[in-house]
Amino acid sequence: VTDLVFSFVFGDGDPNKAIGAARLRAMAEVIRSNSGAVTAESLAPFLDPPPAGTFAESYNVDESWVLPAVTELGGRPEVSGEGTIVYVFDELTVSGLASEASLVLADPALAAVRTLDAAELARLAQERAIPTQGADAGALRDALRSWAGEQLGGGGGGSLFPGGYLEERTAPFSNAEGGQLFAAGALGLLNLGGCAYLGSLLAQLPPGAQLPGELGAVQAVFPLLLAYAVSYVAIPAVRFARLQAENAAVAQRNANRRAWRDALRRGGSELQKRLEAASRRGKKLRLVSEEDVAFDSSKSLGEQPEQQTPALDDFDRRLRDATR
């Protein structure tokens, strides 16, 4: 009953709370499929671009809306000989961010995996039935990443948005069933009606009159009862109105992204030139795995890859020799 009342009054949370991670991973897929070089139009179906309009045959001058995402993914703008702005990305940054985004999408509790110590990592692994015996922090991180990939299906390599654009979810008023919502609403109206009736009775008392015993206690807490009854009805009503506006904005953003996706698929002479310019600047991106890492700033010296140890020992030896 408590969960039902909470869901009716306050809702069940944001259905798009992981949208940032989903956006990062989807853009990483686009960047990889385009060999590390893309135009703003290629990323538009996954961002919040301006209305598409007749973009397929027009030159889009203002691309400021794509810059925050490019910066987050470690990209840099380059201008081709034809004047096309191409965004080029480094493989290390894209691969790392995509891996972290997959963790968040599989389980938000894994968002801080890179900064957790071995004990916390072991606890997270045990909660997910991942073997932990004899594993150090690095191995536990790898195991959790593998688990996250399995949860997303196919090792995390499949397309996150098969429709070709980022689709936000509209937020329902409540996840409870219709009959349960009706009961919760009826309870709120009953509370409000009871408070209104009790208030009419108390209003008949002479000013300053105090009722004895239990009736006096009811008289004393009546303002709180009234505030509760009004809030129980008012909060869901305000939330419902706000949800209508927010869901309309979500639908508009989704429609705009679909329009950019459709325009991208239709192509056009100007767009084709821009895409070809990006293709000429593309380079092969590879997925960076744990074996490719020479030094991980999130780990202590004892947890660094084995190939790093001789170099560290040599540095320590030279430091000791210099201080003698």
Side-chain angles (χ1 to χ4, degrees):
V1 176
T2 303
D3 293 339
L4 171 60
V5 170
F6 187 91
S7 177
F8 175 78
V9 177
F10 300 106
D12 298 289
D14 182 7
N16 298 304
K17 60 184 178 181
I19 197 69
R23 189 193 304 271
L24 278 178
R25 187 174 166 217
M27 289 191 298
E29 290 181 3
V30 173
I31 293 167
R32 287 172 178 164
S33 65
N34 287 276
S35 301
V38 298
T39 62
E41 292 86 350
S42 299
L43 297 178
F46 305 98
L47 297 174
D48 295 318
T54 58
F55 120 97
E57 292 297 337
S58 65
Y59 188 79
N60 187 20
V61 178
D62 184 7
E63 295 184 357
S64 59
W65 50 271
V66 79
L67 293 180
V70 170
T71 302
E72 187 173 9
L73 282 165
R76 62 186 182 277
E78 296 183 359
V79 181
S80 68
E82 301 85 359
T84 298
I85 301 177
V86 178
Y87 300 97
V88 181
F89 297 83
D90 296 321
E91 59 189 64
L92 287 172
T93 304
V94 172
S95 298
L97 287 174
S99 176
E100 298 305 315
S102 296
L103 284 172
V104 176
L105 289 173
D107 190 339
L110 302 179
V113 157
R114 288 185 61 85
T115 61
L116 296 179
D117 57 23
E120 285 294 320
L121 292 170
R123 180 184 61 80
L124 290 173
Q126 290 172 358
E127 290 175 353
R128 290 152 184 80
I130 300 174
T132 61
Q133 185 174 5
D136 59 11
L140 289 171
R141 290 189 183 94
D142 289 343
L144 287 168
R145 290 190 178 102
S146 298
W147 178 87
E150 293 173 359
Q151 300 308 303
L152 293 176
S159 177
L160 190 62
F161 297 101
Y165 72 100
L166 176 68
E167 184 174 11
E168 295 179 68
R169 300 175 183 174
T170 55
F173 177 76
S174 171
N175 291 331
E177 298 179 358
Q180 294 176 322
L181 288 177
F182 178 81
L187 177 62
L189 293 177
L190 182 63
N191 286 338
L192 190 61
C195 283
Y197 177 71
L198 179 59
S200 66
L201 295 179
L202 294 177
Q204 298 175 13
L205 296 175
Q210 296 292 329
L211 295 175
E214 295 180 355
L215 293 178
V218 172
Q219 182 183 19
V221 301
F222 173 74
L224 297 178
L225 295 175
L226 181 61
Y228 169 77
V230 172
S231 299
Y232 188 94
V233 175
I235 292 177
V238 172
R239 189 169 62 83
F240 178 80
R242 188 186 64 186
L243 278 178
Q244 299 307 302
E246 291 178 351
N247 286 340
V250 167
Q252 179 60 44
R253 290 195 296 271
N254 286 338
N256 191 34
R257 296 189 191 106
R258 279 195 303 271
W260 280 84
R261 178 208 61 185
D262 295 341
L264 189 61
R265 288 177 175 178
R266 288 195 304 268
S269 59
E270 183 63 41
L271 174 59
Q272 193 61 35
K273 292 178 182 178
R274 292 167 61 79
L275 295 178
E276 290 175 356
S279 179
R280 288 193 295 270
R281 286 182 175 263
K283 59 182 178 180
K284 182 64 176 176
L285 283 179
R286 63 184 175 88
L287 180 62
V288 179
S289 63
E290 193 75 18
E291 290 75 16
D292 300 315
V293 178
F295 183 84
D296 189 340
S297 60
S298 68
K299 299 178 180 180
S300 65
L301 290 178
E303 298 174 340
Q304 295 302 324
E306 293 182 0
Q307 62 267 28
Q308 185 72 10
T309 303
L312 292 175
D313 292 341
D314 182 63
F315 176 80
D316 290 340
R317 179 183 59 77
R318 295 186 181 184
L319 182 61
R320 287 194 299 270
D321 293 342
T323 55
R324 287 177 181 175

